[in-house]
Amino acid sequence: MHLSPLQSRLAASFIASCLLVALCFTLFSPNFVLAAELQDAPPVILLDDVDSDLDISLGLDPDLGSPFDPLYEPEFAAFDKSILGRRQIKDTNVLKNNEAFPLNVDQGFTERFVFELSQLSEREPEIESLELRDEDHTWEEQEEGEEEEEQQEEGEEYSDDLNDESLDTEPADLSSPSVEQKLGKRQQGGRRIFISANTCLQPPAFNATKTTQPPPQLTLYVSTSTDNVEPGPDADASSQVSMVFTEGAIMYNFTTTSDVHVGVHAPNVTEIFDGPYNMKIAISTDGYYYSYNVDDDADLIWVDSDSQGALLITHNLTDSTDEGEQQKFMEALPYVLFAQDKSDPSINGVKYSFCGLEQYAQIATTKDGKYSNMVQTGMTRRGQGNFPKQQFFFSGLKPSTSYIGILANVTNPGSSNLVGSGGHVFKATNFQTKSGKLFSRDPGSNQVGTNAQELIQPDHGNCNIVLNLTFCDQVAYSVPSNPKFGNASVLAKFYDDYAAEAYGFFKKALAQIPCEAPVTQRYSLTRNCTDCDAAYKDWLCSVTIPRCEDFSNNASYLHPRAMNQPFPNGETLDNATVSLYAEKYGDGKVLSKAFMESRSSRIDEFIKPGPYKEVLPCDYLCYRLVQSCPSSMGFGCPLPGQKGFNSSYYIKNETNGEVVCNYPGSAHIFSGSSKDAVSVALTVAVLVLVSLLLAC
């Protein structure tokens, strides 16, 4: 049969296709699945159930590991491990740049982390030849002494309860030359790495009444060696650096060109403490995420206290004279404050940890981002230089109690992935509350008078803090008070209105002075009416608003007031107490009005605080007033040794945290300028010289 051209081509294609299919079946035999029931199917073997017996039954060497083990690493003589791939690290946490990683660390275990440099942008600047240094310690000078002392103290604290192995947290000697080889002290083209961590929770003691010491600190291990990707207490010490946390915090930085491997080890003290540690760790190439500084002076100043509260203030937040710059600070609240009874050990072990203080401090400005009702905070210009400062007023404190205040701030509030977001903790400031006791019988002792049993309870003294006054805006301290008169706001308004009223009379007198006359016709070539106005206001507020201390306070610089007045509960000083003060300050029989009444009759008439002691105004306030105002206004000041001086003023001098005399912006840390001190000395010298000339 003759095929047409089209049929011929079709036949040829069909034959070729059949041959191709036959060839595929010949070369690649397919495996077809038969859906049939298996009567005696072997059991399924789970990887977790594979044991050494199965390995042996399969003819495997148990010492080489099982192929069913997910961490099994085959070994072939013809191939190097680097070709097969490095062994995976179990439970290694990956850290991101400027991101905190929170987790629990069980006692006796080590949590491991890795920070891979490959995550960083190539455009980030590289650091050349930077020194390896540790912000937490000056290792060359301090480690041998402090670390040895710390270990000795730990050994003494826990030697009765724990064996030596449980406290094996000794850091590596960072002063040794091998440290440069461990982490690469000088690496060209490397990256600066900042490691920081905070302990947020510590394991509680089984018996809190017997265990007064905090649990031992965590230990940080750091390695950049490919031979040590699991740094910890069991790793090769020559390839890692170790250091112990300090009060719940660690800061460490160095330069590297390799990935960073970190281990955090928790000591095993399960015989005494129960549960894990909780911590947060962060690595950054920009700076520390968590930080603290306890080497410099405290950034917090104790202003004053009463029996239930305390007022503290920061240093100037800026020294800029630009009003716009100052206003930026006045609109912000950059700091938080923590307060703790010094006798309460609950924050021991976490004093440098921001999250630890949030958890354990008795009083905190904020906790979990929420403000506490026990702390009032705001901005003020009161104090030295009239620059912006942040103030804190604590309430609900215990009388006659010593506290510490710890200032802290967050560099980037509201941002969790920026440097400094974890918080910075400053050096603690000591302060204490007033006793609230109303008087002592003997000025040289703490014995109370015979009528003391029925007096007001210690938490209701007659000195209360006032602040945020309108006219006397530099006043913020305890003043004579009476619970029956009203609350602190009513009390503050009374004193402020009284001072403002007296100031009004002064302004009328000052208006009679030709303040706008040419310089050569004014009352002074160096002072003007503005100086007089400011000097009078400072003096007036310090005199009309007395700074109050408990009558039971026997400091030598304090002056007794209103001793013939009844206390707020109606009780009076007993005759024996009055007689003792008469012998010390009077003629042995009668005390002068300066002791028996307040400086201002209005205080005894309206507030009726009863006996208290006054921190007298500083003498330089009066001298400055005389210097600054026209002589025609008739201002004069008693000099030291003259009648009336000892009951009116006290000489200002620098003391160890004591306010021996009252002045605008006074606080328990010296905040006056050296310029004031020089001015006072010159003024006193001039006045003394004038007095001698007049006497001649």
Side-chain angles (χ1 to χ4, degrees):
M1 181 178 63
H2 181 72
L3 298 177
S4 65
L6 179 63
Q7 290 174 330
S8 299
R9 286 195 295 271
L10 179 62
S13 298
F14 177 77
I15 295 172
S17 299
C18 292
L19 292 174
L20 182 61
V21 171
L23 181 62
C24 290
F25 272 88
T26 302
L27 296 178
F28 307 103
S29 301
N31 294 320
F32 295 101
V33 177
L34 177 62
E37 181 179 357
L38 300 178
Q39 299 296 332
D40 298 317
V44 178
I45 301 176
L46 300 178
L47 294 181
D48 292 341
D49 297 329
V50 176
D51 56 17
S52 58
D53 293 336
L54 179 59
D55 295 338
I56 296 174
S57 66
L58 295 176
L60 301 176
D61 185 351
D63 295 333
L64 296 178
S66 171
F68 298 98
D69 188 346
L71 297 181
Y72 168 74
E73 183 177 18
E75 293 189 11
F76 299 98
F79 300 95
D80 186 76
K81 289 185 179 181
S82 61
I83 300 177
L84 295 174
R86 188 175 291 114
R87 175 175 179 257
Q88 295 296 317
I89 304 171
K90 188 177 181 180
D91 296 329
T92 297
N93 306 291
V94 178
L95 296 177
K96 300 296 183 181
N97 193 25
N98 283 324
E99 290 186 14
F101 196 106
L103 80 167
N104 289 337
V105 184
D106 293 323
Q107 295 187 43
F109 287 84
T110 303
E111 288 291 340
R112 294 184 172 87
F113 309 86
V114 62
F115 182 80
E116 300 170 341
L117 295 186
S118 60
Q119 67 179 280
L120 304 176
S121 171
E122 294 181 357
R123 290 178 295 179
E124 293 186 15
E126 294 185 345
I127 303 173
E128 296 186 0
S129 187
L130 292 177
E131 291 291 337
L132 172 66
R133 62 187 182 90
D134 179 67
E135 301 290 343
D136 191 6
H137 300 279
T138 303
W139 294 100
E140 290 81 359
E141 298 177 359
Q142 297 181 3
E143 188 196 48
E144 293 184 2
E146 292 185 0
E147 194 63 44
E148 184 175 333
E149 181 180 353
E150 180 180 350
Q151 293 172 4
Q152 183 177 0
E153 292 178 356
E154 287 186 355
E156 293 174 356
E157 292 168 2
Y158 298 100
S159 59
D160 294 337
D161 305 304
L162 306 172
N163 55 41
D164 293 337
E165 295 180 358
S166 64
L167 292 177
D168 186 17
T169 59
E170 181 180 356
D173 182 8
L174 296 183
S175 62
S176 64
S178 62
V179 173
E180 297 185 15
Q181 302 170 358
K182 292 180 183 179
L183 295 185
K185 186 170 183 178
R186 299 173 182 266
Q187 296 193 24
Q188 297 292 332
R191 303 237 184 222
R192 173 62 65 90
I193 301 298
F194 297 84
I195 303 176
S196 57
N198 275 187
T199 301
C200 301
L201 293 173
Q202 301 181 114
F206 285 110
N207 191 335
T209 58
K210 292 184 178 180
T211 306
T212 58
Q213 298 295 331
Q217 297 284 306
L218 298 171
T219 304
L220 178 74
Y221 296 87
V222 182
S223 168
T224 58
S225 171
T226 55
D227 294 329
N228 183 7
V229 295
E230 293 183 323
D234 298 327
D236 182 10
S238 64
S239 62
Q240 65 183 16
V241 170
S242 64
M243 62 211 75
V244 179
F245 282 48
T246 302
E247 285 293 334
I250 195 76
M251 295 163 56
Y252 186 63
N253 75 78
F254 57 94
T255 305
T256 184
T257 57
S258 305
D259 292 345
V260 180
H261 302 276
V262 178
V264 177
H265 180 75
N268 188 6
V269 285
T270 53
E271 296 178 5
I272 303 176
F273 299 95
D274 179 36
Y277 292 77
N278 179 267
M279 61 158 291
K280 293 180 180 179
I281 187 171
I283 291 183
S284 171
T285 57
D286 308 307
Y288 288 113
Y289 194 89
Y290 304 98
S291 58
Y292 67 94
N293 185 358
V294 295
D295 296 327
D296 299 334
D297 293 336
D299 287 340
L300 189 66
I301 299 173
W302 170 32
V303 178
D304 202 5
S305 61
D306 53 32
S307 60
Q308 301 181 76
L311 179 64
L312 299 101
I313 196 170
T314 67
H315 287 287
N316 295 333
L317 300 185
T318 178
D319 293 330
S320 173
T321 56
D322 181 73
E323 184 61 30
E325 184 70 16
Q326 291 189 19
Q327 190 58 35
K328 292 180 181 178
F329 284 93
M330 292 299 294
E331 296 172 355
L333 293 173
Y335 294 102
V336 296
L337 188 60
F338 305 96
Q340 183 81 3
D341 181 346
K342 293 181 72 172
S343 64
D344 189 323
S346 59
I347 66 169
N348 290 349
V350 293
K351 290 179 182 177
Y352 302 161
S353 165
F354 189 93
C355 62
L357 290 171
E358 281 193 315
Q359 294 295 329
Y360 291 102
Q362 290 176 318
I363 305 174
T365 307
T366 61
K367 187 169 185 178
D368 299 327
K370 298 180 180 179
Y371 279 88
S372 168
N373 57 6
M374 295 184 66
V375 185
Q376 301 175 33
T377 184
M379 300 302 297
T380 182
R381 296 180 188 268
R382 186 180 65 252
Q384 183 179 4
N386 292 324
F387 292 112
K389 308 170 185 66
Q390 187 175 349
Q391 65 179 3
F392 301 87
F393 178 68
F394 285 93
S395 58
L397 304 181
K398 297 184 294 184
S400 300
T401 303
S402 296
Y403 289 87
I404 59 171
I406 302 176
L407 192 69
N409 78 321
V410 177
T411 305
N412 295 290
S415 302
S416 58
N417 59 347
L418 294 176
V419 62
S421 298
H424 180 84
V425 178
F426 295 87
K427 185 176 181 178
T429 296
N430 296 313
F431 66 95
Q432 61 186 31
T433 53
K434 289 180 172 56
S435 67
K437 295 179 180 179
L438 298 178
F439 70 91
S440 299
R441 176 174 182 177
D442 184 352
S445 72
N446 290 322
Q447 289 184 324
V448 298
T450 56
N451 295 334
Q453 287 77 5
E454 301 300 326
L455 292 182
I456 299 174
Q457 294 299 315
D459 60 345
H460 295 286
N462 56 352
C463 294
N464 277 25
I465 289 180
V466 295
L467 67 157
N468 299 331
L469 278 64
T470 303
F471 174 69
C472 291
D473 52 357
Q474 295 294 314
V475 169
Y477 46 74
S478 288
V479 298
S481 65
N482 186 334
K484 299 177 183 178
F485 181 79
N487 58 26
S489 298
V490 175
L491 190 65
K493 188 177 186 305
F494 170 84
Y495 283 107
D496 203 38
D497 290 347
Y498 177 31
E501 179 184 354
Y503 179 75
F505 298 127
F506 162 78
K507 290 293 286 185
K508 292 179 181 179
L510 186 63
Q512 308 303 314
I513 305 299
C515 298
E516 303 302 326
V519 176
T520 56
Q521 298 179 21
R522 295 179 186 174
Y523 66 89
S524 173
L525 295 176
T526 58
R527 303 298 174 93
N528 54 41
C529 291
T530 301
D531 298 324
C532 177
D533 186 286
Y536 181 81
K537 182 180 177 181
D538 287 345
W539 171 84
L540 176 67
C541 292
S542 298
V543 169
T544 58
I545 309 179
R547 185 165 184 145
C548 179
E549 288 289 344
D550 293 329
F551 198 84
S552 60
N553 190 332
N554 294 312
S556 60
Y557 55 84
L558 297 177
H559 190 279
R561 298 288 191 191
M563 292 181 62
N564 69 338
Q565 304 294 322
F567 287 104
N569 70 336
E571 295 289 340
T572 60
L573 292 175
D574 59 338
N575 293 331
T577 301
V578 175
S579 298
L580 287 172
Y581 277 89
E583 293 176 2
K584 182 174 182 179
Y585 299 105
D587 58 4
K589 297 180 180 180
V590 180
L591 285 169
S592 66
K593 290 179 61 176
F595 293 87
M596 304 305 287
E597 300 175 0
S598 295
R599 181 189 289 267
S600 169
S601 60
R602 279 200 180 189
I603 297 176
D604 295 335
E605 180 181 356
F606 294 100
I607 297 179
K608 302 177 181 178
Y612 64 94
K613 289 185 179 178
E614 179 185 352
V615 180
L616 297 172
C618 295
D619 58 343
Y620 79 86
L621 296 174
C622 186
Y623 303 146
R624 180 178 290 173
L625 176 63
V626 173
Q627 273 188 326
S628 303
C629 294
S631 59
S632 60
M633 299 189 77
F635 293 118
C637 304
L639 294 175
Q642 292 182 349
K643 182 179 181 180
F645 180 86
N646 291 338
S647 60
S648 302
Y649 302 100
Y650 198 86
I651 299 175
K652 182 181 179 181
N653 55 71
E654 296 187 39
T655 59
N656 186 22
E658 290 184 308
V659 179
V660 298
C661 67
N662 192 27
Y663 59 93
S666 57
H668 282 270
I669 294 179
F670 180 75
S671 60
S673 65
S674 57
K675 180 179 178 180
D676 287 342
V678 173
S679 176
V680 171
L682 291 175
T683 303
V684 173
V686 170
L687 290 175
V688 170
L689 180 60
V690 171
S691 299
L692 292 175
L693 291 175
L694 292 175
C696 295

